[in-house]
Amino acid sequence: TVYVSSEDDNALLAYDLASGRTLFSVKTGGEPEGVLVTPDGRYAYVTSEVANMVHRVDLQQKKVLNNIKVGLRPRRFSLSPDGKELWVSQELGASLGVIDTASQTLKATVKFEIKGMRASDITPVDLVHSPDGRTVWASLGRANHVAEIDAATRQVRRTVLVGKRAWGLALNKSGAMLYVANGLSDDLSLVDTAAGKT
């Protein structure tokens, strides 16, 4: 089974990969985008860009269990390796939200600032935890940077200049290299995570 968000339906859709048929759908808030299925396959989290909300969906009961209010225009997720925190990008809030998965509530916000840049130009979209869970990397969209965040203190350690409109992120298996897809420069930046340099 594969789970996808549908902006046309304002729903989470479940598809059978073998047959390609829709198994079920669960209504969400407007313009759902990010989907994260928990490692046990029991729940899915879905962002709603319009409602500024994260929905926790029970995939067995096929219904929304929790509606978690977050910052402006939530986009994508990263789950901490221990499963205790779900981080979500808040594109129009120039920030990340940190959800406590035990209480299903927003417990912290990480704000971004870059000298000489307006907050409206800092548009975080993708994020990823390091393999050890100590670091979170976030792409800052129109700000053309990625940010390295200390997961425990929630402080931004540094920002690294990459290509234009930094969007998608991925770490290699060791966490030594961060790959950044840049939407407007049509290229890929490779960031040495130890040196903090592209």
Side-chain angles (χ1 to χ4, degrees):
T1 304
V2 65
Y3 300 96
V4 299
S5 58
S6 170
E7 290 191 6
D8 290 339
D9 301 306
N10 290 329
L12 173 71
L13 304 179
Y15 288 100
D16 179 84
L17 280 177
S19 67
R21 68 185 179 89
T22 304
L23 299 174
F24 63 87
S25 67
V26 179
K27 283 291 182 185
T28 64
E31 293 186 25
E33 180 170 310
V35 176
L36 183 143
V37 177
T38 56
D40 61 8
R42 186 172 176 186
Y43 304 103
Y45 288 91
V46 185
T47 58
S48 167
E49 296 177 4
V50 170
N52 300 321
M53 201 168 282
V54 169
H55 308 285
R56 179 173 171 250
V57 178
D58 187 311
L59 297 174
Q60 294 174 347
Q61 298 184 54
K62 303 175 181 63
K63 69 176 186 178
V64 173
L65 296 181
N66 304 89
N67 294 307
I68 306 160
K69 195 72 175 169
V70 294
L72 296 176
R73 198 172 172 85
R75 298 295 299 269
R76 299 184 187 168
F77 299 109
S78 183
L79 184 66
S80 62
D82 63 9
K84 293 181 178 178
E85 292 182 345
L86 180 67
W87 289 54
V88 57
S89 58
Q90 299 167 156
E91 184 182 14
L92 297 186
S95 62
L96 304 179
V98 183
I99 294 169
D100 178 3
T101 58
S103 65
Q104 303 299 323
T105 57
L106 184 69
K107 69 177 185 177
T109 299
V110 178
K111 286 273 193 181
F112 297 114
E113 292 180 2
I114 297 177
K115 190 175 180 180
M117 192 166 287
R118 294 173 297 188
S120 60
D121 287 329
I122 303 172
T123 53
V125 174
D126 211 1
L127 63 166
V128 62
H129 276 81
S130 61
D132 62 11
R134 295 178 181 173
T135 300
V136 176
W137 287 91
S139 64
L140 301 184
R142 292 195 302 264
N144 304 332
H145 283 74
V146 293
E148 179 189 30
I149 304 116
D150 184 306
T153 66
R154 300 187 183 88
Q155 297 298 307
V156 177
R157 292 189 190 124
R158 57 188 166 186
T159 58
V160 180
L161 181 65
V162 290
K164 292 182 180 178
R165 204 177 78 168
W167 215 248
L169 296 180
L171 279 168
N172 70 350
K173 196 171 184 178
S174 70
M177 188 70 70
L178 179 72
Y179 300 90
V180 187
N182 303 303
L184 290 183
S185 52
D186 296 329
D187 57 17
L188 190 71
S189 297
L190 278 63
V191 176
D192 180 322
T193 58
K197 292 183 179 178
T198 298

